[in-house]
């Protein structure tokens, strides 16, 4: 009885057949899970929590208490098919989680991060084992409870890497300082759990059968690992090399990898291990990141995780009856061991983190993160219950405790830890307040190779010289795909050789372009290269962190739109726009948004051209315009740069020196009369006059520089009502439209709500045009964590 074959028309029951029943179950589970997630999402809860709560709601603790509903939707004969589908989905989901894991991260983990991870595992494990041993001597404990207590102790010691990184991603702190420590520490706990698992499997096999069975089990598991690493991995890497870096997998390539997943699951199940464990190990050896890792995640994740996986936890809820918890014996002791494990995990993380110099509030957040549980722990609970190792009552206690504690900790972590707190309110020297002969520190952000020519030439126009040196910090930004671990590291050593060979080839191309620029200006330019691989939602945190650590004066980011040859918008990247908006709000230094329309792409005019590269500065007043004018002053000494300063003034004002800003007065005193400097005062009475002045710039300008924010006045009344990109300000937004063809640099000096204060004295960056060999280090001690 598989297919109903239209029995509804003859008065039959479609739910009596397995295929329509499992389809109805999946549909019902999907909608209940999504509704649950919609309700608990404002409380910062995860999809896994929603799936577990929905499973409990649909099970014996909720809807299935109604026998008629249980017999219709979840009859005993229909659970086997649903469970098979759910286990298949879970197997592929573990494969995807394995792809996210980078085993080589352990090599990059610093000593302190490894010690925090080891302590986070060891203390709850020791406390749990002691409680498991002493509890039967202190209270009356039945045999089943005494048998399950060691398993509870081991499970509570875990902080699985996929669970922790998923939590960090949900809370948008994956690439924060604490996020990176938690990522590395969870990798260490994973290794500890796997060692305990292998030892336990060996002892259990030897005790159940013969002393040679344990050794044979280890030998087969070892053989499986060797085959996966030395035979399957090279084959999968060969497939990855045939995929274009910006392309996608062919259907045949995907099917080959999917078949390998099924084979690994079958072999693992045949060896007595969970099929999902075999696919998880396979996922770890699959090359991470684009193009293979991201393609597999995209093709598998939506169907398996979104549609089929909720069935795994719905089934777990069917067997759990929270109303029967109090009927079991010795369950108070089980709950005591569970709570003791959470306490050990908290203390085992907090104490060493504080000892290694992590601020107490951040260490507290780290300890709470490591206490959170998720999909891996829930699946282990289900497997132990299905195998009869733990009772239904103990399973219910484990699951409910996990939901309550993790559910309470997630919003608490979100409240306690804000990664931007360490640089909000911190200000480096602006260009305006920098000694003209001091080193100018510029951070440039690269999203793709198309950004490189214009930014390099803007740096060239900034006139680096031995009297006015510049230090450039190149941050190569890439979206995190096919991996769960965020990355922020220097990518070259002093000799210019790549430190991370696993990065895409574009990293080398970008580095070479800036090294050539530095070599051309040797002695006056220092360049350091960094690579950040993070989600777009938190990319601004790495930008601001580098800016604070390096004492940057201005960070230059590319505009989110790119223009085609005919002047129309050729590409639009909304995610980059979101990054720029966050940088403007949180950056500890001045910010420049570069709108490139091609004039900056060719450096021949700047370097060797017979004609001048024409820069126009539009001045309306205010700190942002003062900062922009200070940057223009840096350009003036370049022999092929001409500058036109246009001061836009209201006709009702008194046109005399008394209303001149200090910046304008200084500029006129030092530059008026120079051959390549023009000064204009445009007197207008309303926004119409302002627009006419802006249109007049079109005929004599290659690059226009303007401040972002201006005070509301009659000069701009009406212009700000039709603003498309507020991050450019209303003047910059108007100049960025298709009515103008010149490039544009919009400068902001002080982020809103941030008071200016000079930074500490900084030592000059090395004059070498390659990056320093040391890894990125944070003042609060992150450098010691790798």
């Amino acid at each position: 009885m598989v297919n109903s074959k239209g029995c509804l028309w003859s008065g039959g029951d479609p739910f009596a057949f397995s295929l329509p029943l499992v389809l109805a179950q999946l549909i019902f589970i999907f909608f209940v899970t999504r509704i649950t997630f919609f309700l608990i999402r404002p409380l910062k809860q995860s999809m896994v929590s929603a799936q577990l709560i929905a499973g409990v709601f649909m099970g014996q603790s909720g809807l299935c208490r109604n026998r008629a509903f249980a017999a219709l939707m979840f009859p005993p004969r229909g659970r086997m098919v649903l469970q098979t589908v759910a286990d298949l989905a879970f197997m592929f989901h573990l494969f995807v989680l394995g792809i996210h894991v980078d085993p080589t991260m352990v090599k990059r983990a610093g000593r302190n991060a490894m010690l925090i991870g080891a302590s986070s595992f060891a203390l709850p494990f020791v406390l749990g084992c002691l409680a498991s041993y002493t509890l039967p001597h202190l209270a009356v404990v039945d045999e089943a409870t005494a048998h399950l207590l060691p398993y509870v102790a081991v499970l509570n010691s875990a902080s699985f890497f996929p669970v922790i990184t998923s939590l960090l991603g949900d809370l948008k702190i994956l690439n924060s300082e604490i996020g990176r420590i938690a990522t590395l520490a969870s990798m260490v706990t994973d290794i500890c759990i796997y060692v305990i698992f292998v030892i336990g499997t060996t002892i259990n096999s030897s005790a159940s059968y013969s002393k040679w069975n344990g050794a044979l089990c280890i030998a087969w598991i070892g053989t499986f690992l060797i085959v996966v690493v030395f035979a399957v991995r090279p084959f999968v890497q060969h497939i990855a090399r045939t995929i274009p870096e910006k392309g996608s997998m062919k259907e045949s390539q995907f099917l080959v990898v999917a078949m390998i997943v099924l084979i690994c699951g079958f072999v693992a199940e045949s060896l007595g291990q969970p099929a999902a464990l075999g696919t998880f190990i396979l996922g770890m050896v699959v090359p991470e990141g684009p193009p293979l890792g991201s393609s597999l995640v995209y093709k598998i994740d939506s169907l398996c995780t979104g549609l089929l996986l909720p069935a795994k936890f719905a089934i777990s809820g069917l067997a759990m009856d929270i109303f029967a918890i109090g009927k079991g014996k010795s369950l108070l002791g089980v709950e005591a061991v569970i709570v003791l494990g959470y306490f050990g995990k908290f203390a085992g993380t907090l104490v060493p983190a504080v000892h290694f110099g992590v601020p107490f509030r951040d260490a507290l957040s780290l300890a709470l993160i490591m206490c959170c549980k998720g999909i891996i722990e829930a699946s282990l609970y289900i497997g132990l219950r299905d195998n009869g190792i733990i009772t239904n009552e103990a399973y219910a206690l484990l699951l409910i405790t996990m939901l309550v504690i993790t559910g309470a900790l997630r919003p608490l972590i979100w409240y306690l830890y804000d990664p931007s707190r360490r640089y909000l309110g911190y200000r480096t020297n602006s260009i305006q307040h920098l000694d003209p002969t001091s080193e100018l520190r510029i951070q440039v952000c690269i999203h793709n190779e198309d950004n490189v020519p214009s930014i390099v030439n803007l740096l060239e126009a900034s006139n680096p010289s031995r009297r006015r040196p510049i230090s450039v910090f190149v941050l190569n930004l890439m979206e995190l795909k096919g991996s769960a671990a965020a990355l922020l590291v220097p990518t070259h050593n002093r000799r210019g050789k790549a430190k991370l060979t696993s990065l895409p080839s574009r990293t080398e191309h970008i580095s070479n372009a800036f090294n050539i620029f530095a070599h051309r200006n040797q002695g006056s330019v220092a360049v350091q290269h960094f690579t950040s691989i993070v989600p777009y939602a938190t990319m601004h945190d790495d930008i601001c962190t580098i800016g604070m650590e390096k004492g940057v004066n201005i960070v230059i980011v590319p505009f989110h739109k790119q223009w085609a040859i005919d002047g129309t918008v050729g590409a639009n990247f909304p995610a980059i726009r979101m990054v720029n908006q966050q940088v403007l709000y949180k950056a500890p230094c001045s910010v420049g948004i570069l709108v490139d329309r091609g004039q900056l792409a060719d450096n021949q005019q700047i370097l060797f051209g017979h004609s001048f590269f024409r820069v126009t500065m539009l001045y309306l007043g205010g700190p942002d315009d003062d900062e922009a004018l200070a940057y223009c002053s840096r350009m003036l000494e370049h022999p092929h740069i001409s500058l036109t300063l246009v001061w836009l003034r209201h006709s009702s004002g008194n046109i005399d020196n008394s209303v001149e800003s200090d910046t304008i007065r200084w500029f006129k005193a030092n530059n008026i009369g120079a051959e390549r400097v023009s000064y204009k005062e445009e007197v207008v009475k309303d926004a119409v006059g302002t627009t006419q002045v802006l249109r007049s710039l079109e005929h004599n300008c290659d690059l226009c520089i303007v401040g972002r924010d201006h005070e509301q006045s009659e000069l701009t009344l009406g212009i700000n009502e039709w603003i498309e990109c507020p991050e450019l300000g209303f003047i910059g937004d108007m100049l960025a439209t298709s009515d103008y063809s010149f490039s544009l640099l919009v400068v902001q000096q002080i982020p809103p709500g941030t008071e200016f204060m000079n930074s500490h004295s900084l030592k000059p960056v090395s004059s070498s045009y390659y990056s320093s060999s040391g890894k990125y280090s944070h003042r609060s001690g992150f450098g010691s964590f790798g």
Side-chain angles (χ1 to χ4, degrees):
M1 298 179 67
V2 177
N3 196 321
S4 62
K5 299 178 182 179
C7 70
L8 184 65
W9 309 115
S10 59
D13 182 12
F15 288 87
F17 299 85
S18 60
L19 181 59
L21 177 61
V22 75
L23 295 177
Q25 289 172 334
L26 291 174
I27 294 170
F28 181 70
I29 291 170
F30 175 82
F31 281 106
V32 173
T33 300
R34 290 291 170 171
I35 292 172
T36 305
F37 181 62
F38 175 78
L39 294 176
I40 68 174
R41 188 175 184 179
L43 301 177
K44 304 298 179 183
Q45 302 303 304
S46 66
M47 176 59 76
V48 175
S49 296
Q51 292 169 349
L52 291 171
I53 293 172
V56 174
F57 174 72
M58 290 182 287
Q60 296 181 14
S61 304
L63 297 178
C64 282
R65 294 187 71 83
N66 185 317
R67 295 184 178 180
F69 175 82
L72 174 67
M73 187 61 68
F74 297 105
R77 58 180 171 77
R79 294 185 185 182
M80 184 175 295
V81 177
L82 182 62
Q83 186 162 357
T84 303
V85 173
D87 287 341
L88 186 65
F90 185 69
M91 185 181 72
F92 275 97
H93 181 69
L94 261 290
F95 171 67
V96 171
L97 293 183
I99 294 175
H100 289 163
V101 177
D102 179 11
T104 62
M105 284 185 59
V106 180
K107 297 180 182 179
R108 301 197 296 267
R111 179 181 64 90
N112 294 349
M114 295 187 68
L115 290 176
I116 289 176
S119 174
S120 178
F121 170 81
L123 187 58
F125 179 73
V126 171
L127 290 178
C129 289
L130 288 176
S132 302
Y133 175 77
T134 57
L135 186 61
H137 296 83
L138 300 177
V140 178
V141 178
D142 57 66
E143 184 178 352
T145 301
H147 177 71
L148 66 87
L149 287 179
Y151 292 95
V152 174
V154 174
L155 290 174
N156 277 344
S157 305
S159 293
F160 290 102
F161 176 87
V163 173
I164 298 300
T165 53
S166 176
L167 167 68
L168 297 173
D170 290 345
L171 297 179
K172 294 183 174 55
I173 56 175
L174 183 62
N175 61 319
S176 65
E177 177 190 1
I178 294 302
R180 289 189 171 92
I181 299 174
T183 298
L184 296 172
S186 64
M187 286 287 291
V188 176
T189 63
D190 276 5
I191 295 173
C192 296
I193 282 290
Y194 188 74
V195 171
I196 294 296
F197 171 76
V198 171
I199 294 174
T201 300
T202 304
I203 296 174
N204 196 28
S205 299
S206 300
S208 301
Y209 301 99
S210 68
K211 62 180 181 180
W212 299 109
N213 272 35
L216 188 62
C217 178
I218 294 298
W220 276 112
I221 294 176
T223 302
F224 174 73
L225 292 175
I226 291 173
V227 171
V228 170
V229 173
F230 294 101
V232 178
R233 177 180 171 85
F235 179 70
V236 176
Q237 286 179 326
H238 172 71
I239 295 177
R241 285 192 293 269
T242 62
I243 304 174
E245 187 172 318
K246 295 184 179 180
S248 59
M249 295 181 69
K250 297 179 182 178
E251 183 178 356
S252 58
Q253 294 170 327
F254 172 74
L255 292 177
V256 168
V257 177
M259 187 54 59
I260 295 175
V261 174
L262 295 176
I263 293 173
C264 287
F266 172 77
V267 172
E269 192 76 21
S270 301
L271 294 177
Q273 307 301 316
L277 178 61
T279 59
F280 181 75
I281 294 173
L282 174 65
M284 286 196 296
V285 304
V286 169
E288 63 169 336
L292 180 60
S294 56
S295 297
L296 289 172
V297 171
Y298 176 77
K299 291 178 178 291
I300 295 175
D301 203 35
S302 297
L303 177 64
C304 292
T305 304
L307 184 61
L308 302 180
L309 187 63
K312 177 78 173 178
F313 303 102
I315 295 171
S316 68
L318 297 178
M320 187 179 77
D321 186 1
I322 60 176
F323 299 103
I325 291 179
K327 300 177 182 179
K329 298 179 180 180
S330 308
L331 291 183
L332 186 60
V334 176
E335 183 63 22
V337 174
I338 295 173
V339 174
L340 189 63
Y342 279 99
F343 173 78
K345 174 70 68 174
F346 178 82
T349 305
L350 178 66
V351 174
V354 172
H355 174 73
F356 292 131
V358 178
F360 180 79
R361 182 164 178 166
D362 291 352
L364 179 63
S365 301
L366 175 63
L368 297 178
I369 289 170
M370 297 298 287
C371 288
C372 291
K373 309 292 184 183
I375 189 170
I376 306 295
E377 290 87 353
S379 64
L380 290 175
Y381 299 158
I382 295 170
L384 292 175
R385 186 211 61 195
D386 291 343
N387 293 330
I389 297 175
I390 63 175
T391 62
N392 285 337
E393 291 80 7
Y395 166 75
L397 279 178
L398 285 167
L399 194 61
I400 292 174
T401 304
M402 184 192 85
L403 286 172
V404 171
I405 292 181
T406 302
L409 294 185
R410 286 175 65 99
L412 184 59
I413 296 167
W414 176 81
Y415 172 77
L416 285 176
Y417 185 66
D418 179 9
S420 64
R421 187 178 63 246
R422 66 181 183 272
Y423 50 76
L424 281 179
Y426 177 92
R427 290 288 297 155
T428 61
N429 268 330
S430 65
I431 302 175
Q432 179 187 1
H433 297 86
L434 187 68
D435 187 334
T437 60
S438 297
E439 176 186 58
L440 176 63
R441 298 187 171 213
I442 303 177
Q443 177 184 343
V444 295
C445 300
I446 308 296
H447 289 282
N448 55 66
E449 294 181 50
D450 294 337
N451 303 145
V452 174
S454 56
I455 289 181
V456 167
N457 294 324
L458 179 63
L459 295 173
E460 186 69 53
S462 302
N463 189 38
S465 63
R466 292 185 182 273
R467 193 173 71 89
R468 289 187 171 188
I470 66 173
S471 292
V472 181
F473 304 95
V474 183
L475 184 56
N476 182 16
L477 297 165
M478 291 183 279
E479 183 185 9
L480 183 66
K481 291 182 178 179
S483 178
L487 185 71
L488 174 60
V489 292
T491 48
H492 287 72
N493 58 28
R494 288 188 183 275
R495 297 182 179 179
K497 295 181 179 179
K499 297 176 69 175
L500 298 176
T501 56
S502 60
L503 294 177
S505 59
R506 83 165 219 188
T507 303
E508 192 69 23
H509 298 159
I510 292 171
S511 300
N512 289 339
F514 283 94
N515 287 341
I516 292 171
F517 159 71
H519 181 67
R520 191 166 57 238
N521 296 277
Q522 195 166 5
S524 57
V525 171
V527 175
Q528 293 187 2
H529 303 278
F530 295 86
T531 293
S532 171
I533 305 179
V534 291
Y536 277 119
T538 55
M539 194 172 282
H540 66 276
D541 190 54
D542 281 357
I543 298 173
C544 296
T545 297
I546 292 291
M548 180 188 69
E549 281 297 321
K550 299 302 178 182
V552 169
N553 303 116
I554 185 171
V555 54
I556 296 175
V557 296
F559 192 48
H560 67 277
K561 294 180 182 180
Q562 292 181 355
W563 273 261
I565 298 177
D566 60 357
T568 60
V569 176
N572 191 345
F573 304 97
I576 295 178
R577 180 185 184 185
M578 178 185 67
V579 174
N580 292 345
Q581 290 171 338
Q582 290 293 321
V583 170
L584 284 168
Y585 178 69
K586 297 183 177 181
C589 58
S590 299
V591 180
I593 299 181
L594 180 60
V595 182
D596 177 36
R597 288 194 174 96
Q599 291 86 349
L600 284 165
D602 184 6
N603 68 351
Q604 298 301 313
Q605 186 179 9
I606 299 176
L607 290 176
F608 314 110
H610 297 291
S611 61
F612 292 116
F613 185 81
R614 301 164 300 178
V615 177
T616 299
M617 166 67 205
L618 186 64
Y619 188 92
L620 280 77
D624 291 354
D625 279 357
D626 289 342
E627 184 75 354
L629 187 54
Y631 188 63
C632 290
S633 299
R634 280 268 178 172
M635 297 181 172
L636 275 179
E637 293 186 11
H638 196 288
H640 297 127
I641 297 291
S642 68
L643 175 64
T644 300
L645 173 61
V646 179
W647 186 11
L648 201 62
R649 307 178 65 171
H650 193 261
S651 59
S652 62
N654 296 321
I655 306 177
D656 54 36
N657 291 335
S658 62
V659 297
E660 288 183 348
S661 69
D662 293 337
T663 308
I664 287 287
R665 192 177 296 113
W666 174 88
F667 181 85
K668 291 172 64 176
N670 289 274
N671 298 291
I672 297 303
E675 180 183 355
R676 292 176 287 107
V677 179
S678 300
Y679 174 74
K680 297 180 180 179
E681 291 185 6
E682 298 287 353
V683 181
V684 296
K685 62 179 181 179
D686 52 25
V688 176
T690 300
T691 304
Q692 292 174 349
V693 172
L694 296 181
R695 293 192 181 280
S696 68
L697 304 178
E698 175 69 21
H699 308 292
N700 191 33
C701 181
D702 296 315
L703 172 66
C704 182
I705 300 179
V706 64
R708 175 176 179 257
D709 288 329
H710 302 94
E711 294 182 0
Q712 300 288 343
S713 68
E714 295 182 13
L715 298 181
T716 58
L717 187 62
I719 297 178
N720 56 340
E721 296 180 1
W722 301 98
I723 186 167
E724 181 183 357
C725 299
E727 63 271 22
L728 297 179
F730 42 83
I731 297 295
D733 178 73
M734 185 173 182
L735 295 175
T737 61
S738 58
D739 296 337
Y740 302 87
S741 60
F742 48 75
S743 297
L744 175 69
L745 179 65
V746 178
V747 177
Q748 172 186 274
Q749 183 186 76
I750 301 178
T754 303
E755 294 184 2
F756 175 82
M757 57 183 177
N758 290 339
S759 66
H760 61 285
S761 59
L762 297 168
K763 295 181 180 179
V765 177
S766 169
S767 60
S768 167
Y769 52 85
Y770 298 117
S771 74
S772 61
S773 59
K775 287 197 173 184
Y776 166 65
S777 175
H778 190 274
R779 276 190 196 86
S780 62
F782 174 66
S784 59
F785 295 93

